[in-house]
């Protein structure tokens, strides 16, 4: 029987457990033996893996994080680490590997693909920063978590007639800020893809104040090239309006996945199993429109992400 491995790597994301469940149960259904690899590539190097069965993934769908644990492995970046990882896969007779993680994790997998392992990449990251897929697993949950936080911040911001700068995650990608900012009615959205114009921000705030708007929510992605602290100081100095920072941090990475993320993870996980079963080589799994798609993983990772200009423009219009 074919043996396949599954691991989660990089930052955890809500929905990773649903993806693991789909891979494990999908593999069993298709007469394959699934192995769970702990702590991503770290566990692979250390041989920290175990055979999974249908019950290994019971009651995990609703849980945030990843039951397999995760890591950002420095050792796997070395030739020695890659050799060891390859050795473990050979020893256990595993020739297919499902990698649930971001672009760094998938890129790491290419080293194993060169040695003959059939790798499948599932986009597991809250950042939504992979060009080949419209959505990544965990993004929707993170956006909803930010949205809920934004609502709370708005209550107090409005009561005290203050401006609040909410910093959200996303690394170099502004999607969490755009989606949560647009749906939460933020007055200003700042993303790494667009240059920050502090004068324009202050102008908008002052014009708003002259019309009677006494509080503002500024949604700022972490990748923007001005620190939240500096931004708050500059705004306060120029407008004289009290401004506070809120850095949401890891709150965004945890929590029970939304139905959308669970569905995405289940569909993508099962697609990965089907591709391994059929012997299709080295694919990245994604979604476009309502369709689950797969494409050559190397090609997928080379695609360049475009800023969501349309949503940013809409957010600007709706927050006049
Ligand atoms: O990639 C997911 C992410 O949460 C990013 O948004 C953030 O920049 C980074 O991981 C934080 O990484 P760490 O868990 O290593 O602090």
């Amino acid at each position: 029987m074919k043996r396949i491995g599954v691991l989660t790597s990089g930052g955890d994301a809500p929905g990773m457990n649903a993806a693991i469940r789909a891979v494990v149960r999908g593999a069993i259904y298709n007469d394959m033996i699934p192995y769970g690899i702990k702590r991503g590539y770290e566990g692979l190097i250390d041989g920290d893996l175990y055979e999974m069965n249908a019950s290994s993934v019971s009651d995990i769908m609703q849980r945030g994080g990843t039951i397999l644990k995760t890591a950002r492995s420095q050792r796997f970046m070395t030739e020695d680490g890659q050799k060891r990882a390859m050795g473990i896969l050979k020893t256990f007779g595993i020739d297919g590997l499902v990698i649930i993680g971001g672009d760094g994790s998938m890129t790491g997998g290419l080293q194993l693909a060169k040695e003959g392992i059939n790798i499948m990449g599932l986009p597991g990251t809250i950042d939504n920063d992979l060009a080949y897929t419209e959505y990544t697993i965990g993004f929707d949950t993170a956006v909803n978590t930010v949205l809920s936080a934004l609502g709370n911040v708005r209550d107090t911001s409005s009561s005290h007639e203050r401006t609040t700068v909410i910093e959200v995650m996303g690394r170099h990608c502004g999607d969490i800020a755009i989606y949560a900012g647009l749906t939460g009615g933020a007055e200003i959205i700042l993303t790494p893809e667009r240059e920050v114009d502090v004068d324009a921000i202050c102008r908008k705030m002052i014009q708003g104040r002259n019309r009677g708007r006494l509080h503002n929510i500024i949604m700022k992605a972490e990748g923007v090239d001005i620190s939240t602290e500096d931004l708050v100081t500059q705004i306060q100095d120029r407008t004289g309006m009290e401004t506070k920072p809120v850095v949401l941090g890891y709150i965004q990475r945890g929590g029970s996945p939304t139905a959308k993320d669970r569905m995405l993870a289940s569909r993508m996980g099962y697609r990965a199993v089907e591709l391994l079963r059929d012997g299709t080589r080295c694919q990245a799994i994604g979604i476009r429109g309502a369709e689950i798609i797969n494409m050559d993983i190397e090609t997928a990772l080379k695609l360049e992400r475009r800023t969501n200009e349309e949503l940013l423009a809409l957010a600007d219009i709706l927050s006049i």
Side-chain angles (χ1 to χ4, degrees):
M1 270 160 97
K2 206 175 175 59
R3 290 159 198 267
I4 66 165
V6 55
L7 60 79
T8 47
S9 167
D12 63 345
M16 279 184 163
N17 283 328
I20 296 166
R21 176 178 179 269
V23 171
V24 169
R25 294 212 169 147
I28 293 165
Y29 178 80
N30 284 285
D31 296 323
M32 293 186 252
I33 303 174
Y35 279 82
I37 299 162
K38 303 287 282 290
R39 295 175 291 111
Y41 294 113
E42 279 293 288
L44 183 54
I45 292 169
D46 293 335
D48 193 359
L49 72 171
Y50 62 108
E51 189 180 324
M52 296 180 95
N53 56 42
S55 324
S56 320
V57 288
S58 297
D59 294 332
I60 67 166
M61 173 90 105
Q62 74 286 359
R63 284 164 57 185
T66 157
I67 60 158
L68 290 176
K69 315 288 183 201
T70 185
R72 300 189 194 278
S73 178
Q74 293 302 318
R75 284 194 292 161
F76 189 69
M77 296 191 176
T78 66
E79 214 173 290
D80 180 57
Q82 288 157 14
K83 249 192 206 153
R84 281 168 185 268
M86 199 52 222
I88 295 291
L89 291 172
K90 273 197 183 132
T91 304
F92 281 81
I94 295 171
D95 56 10
L97 182 65
V98 180
I99 299 154
I100 309 170
D103 57 348
S105 307
M106 290 194 203
T107 305
L110 295 177
Q111 298 304 324
L112 302 172
K114 273 188 206 151
E115 302 295 323
I117 302 296
N118 192 7
I119 59 163
M120 295 293 151
L122 251 63
T125 165
I126 62 165
D127 297 344
N128 209 37
D129 58 350
L130 288 158
Y132 78 89
T133 180
E134 275 172 24
Y135 295 106
T136 57
I137 298 165
F139 171 67
D140 186 62
T141 309
V143 167
N144 279 287
T145 303
V146 173
L147 196 55
S148 154
L150 187 152
N152 291 6
V153 168
R154 188 180 281 290
D155 288 345
T156 174
S157 176
S158 148
S159 305
H160 285 263
E161 300 181 332
R162 280 173 182 155
T163 289
T164 309
V165 178
I166 304 179
E167 181 188 301
V168 296
M169 281 185 167
R171 209 180 286 269
H172 306 298
C173 176
D175 277 19
I176 296 179
I178 298 174
Y179 278 68
L182 175 54
T183 56
E187 278 67 31
I188 291 160
I189 300 172
L190 305 175
T191 74
E193 297 93 345
R194 221 169 36 167
E195 212 175 309
V196 175
D197 181 345
V198 181
D199 286 331
I201 297 170
C202 294
R203 260 197 317 274
K204 186 167 182 179
M205 285 175 62
I206 292 166
Q207 282 161 356
R209 179 177 59 191
N210 294 343
R211 282 191 348 244
R213 184 165 67 205
L214 296 172
H215 76 279
N216 296 279
I217 298 289
I218 302 180
M219 181 59 74
K220 174 184 176 283
E222 66 178 352
V224 167
D225 65 1
I226 177 171
S227 75
T228 300
E229 244 176 33
D230 282 354
L231 182 66
V232 164
T233 311
Q234 288 190 30
I235 290 175
Q236 219 158 219
D237 287 352
R238 293 190 206 181
T239 63
M241 291 163 85
E242 189 182 18
T243 306
K244 298 277 184 187
V246 173
V247 178
L248 289 185
Y250 294 111
I251 286 171
Q252 297 156 88
R253 283 238 298 257
S256 184
T258 58
K260 191 171 171 187
D261 273 331
R262 295 182 201 194
M263 183 67 87
L264 197 60
S266 302
R267 294 178 72 198
M268 287 182 175
Y270 191 67
R271 171 66 62 89
V273 169
E274 286 179 319
L275 293 164
L276 286 172
R277 177 198 64 196
D278 299 344
T280 311
R281 300 279 313 164
C282 301
Q283 300 285 298
I285 325 295
I287 187 162
R288 290 214 198 113
E291 295 296 315
I292 297 296
I293 56 120
N294 54 271
M295 65 187 292
D296 174 70
I297 191 163
E298 244 184 303
T299 313
L301 292 172
K302 278 187 197 138
L303 293 178
E304 220 166 287
R305 245 194 131 264
R306 281 183 305 152
T307 317
N308 209 324
E309 293 293 348
E310 197 190 325
L311 287 186
L312 271 175
L314 179 62
D316 282 347
I317 294 167
L318 301 184
S319 63
I320 43 174

